[in-house]
């Protein structure tokens, strides 16, 4: 992302500790014995819920629990998709999310009318933000724990692993997801991102795992599910509001119909 469009987005971002939120690395300030500012850490940020909120100001949202089949009207967004120290007590993780959420907040008001270079810059930012959101959720934490467990079971042939060779704590896995985002973002370079406009009478909805990674090439043609963002045919989708969604896809594997620049 370059030029004036990049600057218009990043000027609104609180880039603490010189974090380059859309780059492949970041630098941190001198080590200090600090604590995160917030104990209640969201794995889906409140700014994402704002367009879906009941009052459109982000204070409350209608919730449906798929597991229990119950609904809650006007639930506070403060406690949605959050845990106490979900990412641990490392103060250097929190500014990354602040920068991402600042960029997200700067993008959303311009999404409907953006065009040209501005829309191109927005889509490039959404590509990185969608991938970060995919990695930072409770669902991905659960998937990682399942992977660790199966790997240890295979390595030790069902026997109890020795001390030091065990599933990491939740906050370690969650923190490592942020590191993974930084190290694997280079695989996004060849993917294209468009803004999908929903023109139906049925609004888009969101969830506690809003950014979905899938791969039709692997699932339907190869009958495999062992894919990642770097594999051919990768697709990342995230609803942005009841009207818009961000779609990141492998243009060498798929052709979008009705595509108009960066809009569909």
């Amino acid at each position: 992302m370059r030029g004036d469009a990049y600057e218009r987005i990043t000027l609104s971002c609180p880039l603490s500790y010189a974090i380059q939120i859309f780059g492949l690395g970041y630098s941190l300030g001198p080590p200090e014995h600090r604590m995160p500012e917030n104990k209640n850490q969201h794995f889906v940020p409140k700014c994402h819920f704002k367009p879906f909120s009941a009052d459109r100001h982000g204070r409350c949202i209608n919730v449906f629990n798929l597991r229990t089949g119950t609904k809650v009207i006007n639930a506070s967004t403060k406690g949605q998709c959050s845990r106490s120290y979900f990412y641990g007590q490392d103060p250097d993780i929190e500014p990354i999310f602040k920068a991402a959420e600042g960029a997200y907040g700067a993008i959303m008001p311009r999404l409907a009318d953006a065009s040209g270079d501005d829309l191109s810059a927005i889509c490039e930012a959404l590509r990185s933000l969608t991938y970060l959101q995919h990695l930072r959720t409770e669902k991905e934490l659960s998937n990682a724990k399942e992977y660790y467990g199966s790997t240890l079971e295979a390595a030790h042939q069902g026997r109890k692993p020795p001390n030091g060779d065990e599933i990491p704590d939740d906050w370690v896995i969650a923190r490592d997801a942020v590191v993974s985002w930084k190290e694997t973002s280079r695989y996004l370079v060849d993917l294209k991102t468009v803004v999908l406009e929903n023109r139906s009478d049925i609004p888009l909805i969101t969830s506690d795992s809003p950014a979905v990674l899938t791969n039709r090439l692997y699932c339907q043609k190869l009958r495999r599910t062992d894919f990642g963002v770097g594999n051919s045919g990768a697709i990342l989708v995230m609803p942005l509001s009841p009207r818009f969604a961000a779609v990141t896809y492998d243009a060498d594997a798929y052709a979008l119909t009705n595509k108009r620049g960066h809009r569909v």
Side-chain angles (χ1 to χ4, degrees):
M1 192 181 306
R2 297 291 184 269
D4 293 340
Y6 173 78
E7 292 179 4
R8 284 197 296 272
I9 291 174
T10 56
L11 279 176
S12 300
C13 301
L15 294 174
S16 308
Y17 304 108
I19 292 172
Q20 299 170 7
I21 192 65
F22 302 116
L24 298 183
Y26 56 88
S27 58
L28 302 175
E32 299 176 14
H33 295 290
R34 309 182 316 277
M35 291 286 287
E37 293 179 11
N38 298 310
K39 178 180 179 181
N40 184 40
Q41 297 175 341
H42 288 259
F43 50 88
V44 179
K46 289 191 292 183
C47 63
H48 173 76
F49 288 132
K50 185 176 179 179
F52 301 95
S53 61
D55 59 359
R56 296 295 186 267
H57 296 293
R59 290 188 290 266
C60 56
I61 193 168
N62 297 330
V63 177
F64 182 76
N65 189 313
L66 286 173
R67 183 174 58 84
T68 63
T70 57
K71 61 182 179 181
V72 180
I73 304 300
N74 292 335
S76 172
T77 56
K78 184 177 181 180
Q80 301 303 320
C81 300
S82 68
R83 274 201 213 171
S84 179
Y85 293 123
F86 182 73
Y87 302 102
Q89 299 184 24
D90 182 351
D92 293 329
I93 294 297
E94 196 170 48
I96 296 174
F97 297 129
K98 283 189 175 182
E101 291 158 21
Y104 195 93
I107 286 170
M108 291 307 297
R110 299 204 306 276
L111 194 60
D113 300 321
S115 61
D117 290 343
D118 192 34
L119 182 58
S120 177
I122 284 173
C123 285
E124 194 166 345
L126 286 172
R127 182 178 63 189
S128 186
L129 292 168
T130 301
Y131 183 41
L132 177 60
Q133 181 57 61
H134 165 68
L135 293 173
R136 66 181 285 192
T137 63
E138 194 172 45
K139 177 177 173 57
E140 282 306 299
L141 169 62
S142 177
N143 290 342
K145 290 174 69 174
E146 183 177 339
Y147 171 78
Y148 276 113
S150 60
T151 302
L152 288 174
E153 184 176 358
H156 298 284
Q157 299 179 343
R159 296 189 298 271
K160 183 179 179 180
N163 290 338
D165 195 5
E166 54 194 17
I167 299 176
D169 291 336
D170 286 3
W171 69 268
V172 175
I173 298 174
R175 182 200 60 193
D176 287 350
V178 180
V179 177
S180 174
W181 167 76
K182 179 178 77 74
E183 294 177 347
T184 59
S185 286
R186 63 184 182 274
Y187 297 124
L188 299 175
V189 173
D190 294 330
L191 302 181
K192 305 297 182 183
T193 299
V194 295
V195 174
L196 172 70
E197 183 175 359
N198 174 24
R199 295 183 179 179
S200 74
D201 295 330
I202 303 173
L204 300 177
I205 61 174
T206 191
S207 72
D208 56 357
S209 185
V212 177
L213 172 64
T214 188
N215 191 316
R216 290 185 61 188
L217 179 64
Y218 266 61
C219 293
Q220 296 182 2
K221 187 173 183 179
L222 302 179
R223 303 293 182 183
R224 292 170 55 182
T225 58
D226 55 335
F227 56 82
V229 73
N231 293 110
S232 296
I235 304 172
L236 270 168
V237 181
M238 184 170 71
L240 304 172
S241 73
R243 181 183 170 192
F244 296 109
V247 180
T248 296
Y249 67 101
D250 182 355
D252 291 330
Y254 313 110
L256 296 182
T257 59
N258 301 320
K259 182 173 177 288
R260 307 178 309 280
H262 289 281
R263 292 189 183 273
V264 177

